[in-house]
Amino acid sequence: MSRVSISLTFLVGVLPYVLAQSPLYGQWYSQCIPGSATTSSTTVPITVPSPTSTSKTSTAPTSTPTSASKANYWFNFGDSYSQTGFNITGPLPNSANPIGNPDFPGWSATGGANWVGYVTGTYNNSLLYTYNYAYGGATIDANLVTPYEPTVLSLTDQVNQFLTTVASKPATTPWTSSNALFSVWIGVNDIGNSYYNSGDRSAFSDTLLSAYFALVQKLYNAGGRNFLFANVPPIDRSPLMLAQSADAQALEKSVIGTFNTKLAAKISAFAAANTGTKTFLWDSNAQFTTILNAPTSYGFQDATSFGSAANMFWGNNYHPSTYANKFFGQTVGQTVLAKTIW
């Protein structure tokens, strides 16, 4: 398969540290049969701002992408760790701009391309038209975990946007069950905004994941057969959380571990219950941990600083930089999805 690359020239010149290292790909994913995730006082809720303010109401797009018949399709859902600022009512993905809108690589949480941009623009096996519904601050369901403001599009809202616009495979977006990839990376805000609450956190993870996979089931019912999942990264090691107490960090780490273990089990159950399903799991938690445990081996100054320099793992106090995201995109595109059309 031919690899399609969109110009990232403006980034290449400032990637001297990261480009010098290569990730240890095989450690961070499982294909079809998900691997087991390792489980390893009062604080304020995490709030993640979004650069966009799209409405929760949407209509089917009317513009026609260029060379749609030659492209494969990627429908992504998530939060600020994946956002690019896509608006379904704007220009759709096309050969000139594979994310449709805004201009490539879009509006990420820390500037520059994020993992979605790197997979779409560089680490792929074909031309990808990426419909990235991910929205900064998103939770799985706003009725379960309230986002930082009511205009945030939850995973529920994002899936409903897809279902009411391009799920019907209109002429503008002629995807098929075989050429479309559906991906979800969610949970950062669900855990960040609730881990400190009273009650059984393990049971609450079950509640969150039941809502999560009810939405994944809707994607399957609409024709989705290929699903990429990512687990929750170690946000307990973010600079924001390092400013909290050791007890708060340990509690959040425990909740993340439980959620990730249950997520892997839900993926297996979903695949077993739905004929023709192929699933992929990117273990983002393991990849973050490996890099943060040896940051200088990957060209980063340390595991705690943040900023816009090329040797920063963290782009701000809660999100990885574009330089870290290059590793993530490379792993997803070249290893997790290596033997696929995407």
Side-chain angles (χ1 to χ4, degrees):
M1 300 177 186
S2 60
R3 187 171 299 279
V4 174
S5 179
I6 306 300
S7 176
L8 288 172
T9 304
F10 72 100
L11 287 173
V12 172
V14 289
L15 284 170
Y17 300 98
V18 178
L19 288 175
Q21 302 295 331
S22 297
L24 304 175
Y25 300 119
Q27 300 177 12
W28 300 316
Y29 80 103
S30 61
Q31 179 176 334
C32 300
I33 302 175
S36 298
T38 302
T39 305
S40 3
S41 40
T42 304
T43 187
V44 294
I46 305 303
T47 58
V48 184
S50 168
T52 61
S53 57
T54 56
S55 168
K56 292 188 179 183
T57 303
S58 58
T59 57
T62 57
S63 59
T64 302
T66 303
S67 304
S69 62
K70 299 178 181 178
N72 292 309
Y73 289 83
W74 181 14
F75 301 103
N76 182 64
F77 307 88
D79 51 37
S80 56
Y81 272 51
S82 303
Q83 71 180 40
T84 55
F86 176 67
N87 187 330
I88 190 63
T89 64
L92 297 181
N94 56 80
S95 57
N97 183 1
I99 64 170
N101 72 87
D103 291 342
F104 189 86
W107 304 331
S108 68
T110 58
N114 61 20
W115 74 283
V116 173
Y118 280 116
V119 173
T120 301
T122 304
Y123 302 114
N124 54 65
N125 293 311
S126 64
L127 173 62
L128 294 182
Y129 283 176
T130 300
Y131 291 65
N132 186 13
Y133 293 87
Y135 198 99
T139 58
I140 294 167
D141 186 328
N143 293 317
L144 296 176
V145 178
T146 305
Y148 77 99
E149 62 179 30
T151 57
V152 168
L153 301 184
S154 67
L155 180 62
T156 302
D157 296 320
Q158 294 168 34
V159 170
N160 285 337
Q161 272 198 342
F162 167 79
L163 293 174
T164 57
T165 54
V166 299
S168 60
K169 307 178 182 69
T172 59
T173 311
W175 64 277
T176 67
S177 294
S178 60
N179 75 359
L181 175 69
F182 292 80
S183 61
V184 183
W185 191 8
I186 197 77
V188 165
N189 298 308
D190 296 276
I191 293 175
N193 290 352
S194 70
Y195 75 92
Y196 46 81
N197 288 339
S198 60
D200 187 336
R201 305 325 300 162
S202 177
F204 189 61
S205 287
D206 290 331
T207 299
L208 290 172
L209 287 164
S210 291
Y212 180 154
F213 277 84
L215 296 168
V216 174
Q217 187 65 50
K218 289 183 178 182
L219 296 175
Y220 176 87
N221 294 344
R225 293 296 181 270
N226 303 288
F227 294 88
L228 166 66
F229 300 95
N231 60 15
V232 177
I235 50 175
D236 55 287
R237 297 184 65 174
S238 67
L240 180 64
M241 283 305 299
L242 293 178
Q244 306 299 320
S245 69
D247 286 346
Q249 295 166 38
L251 177 59
E252 186 171 46
K253 179 179 181 179
S254 174
V255 174
I256 291 170
T258 298
F259 182 94
N260 284 347
T261 298
K262 290 176 179 289
L263 171 64
K266 290 290 278 188
I267 295 169
S268 293
F270 169 75
N274 291 280
T275 304
T277 301
K278 190 169 187 179
T279 63
F280 305 87
L281 173 61
W282 169 43
D283 191 348
S284 76
N285 192 284
Q287 185 165 18
F288 272 62
T289 298
T290 297
I291 297 175
L292 290 172
N293 284 350
T296 58
S297 297
Y298 296 87
F300 298 114
Q301 175 178 299
D302 54 46
T304 59
S305 301
F306 62 91
S308 59
N311 64 344
M312 292 287 132
F313 177 88
W314 298 101
N316 57 35
N317 68 352
Y318 203 56
H319 299 88
S321 67
T322 183
Y323 312 103
N325 270 276
K326 181 179 185 294
F327 284 115
F328 309 151
Q330 195 171 9
T331 296
V332 171
Q334 292 190 332
T335 301
V336 182
L337 300 175
K339 296 181 180 180
T340 73
I341 61 173
W342 303 283

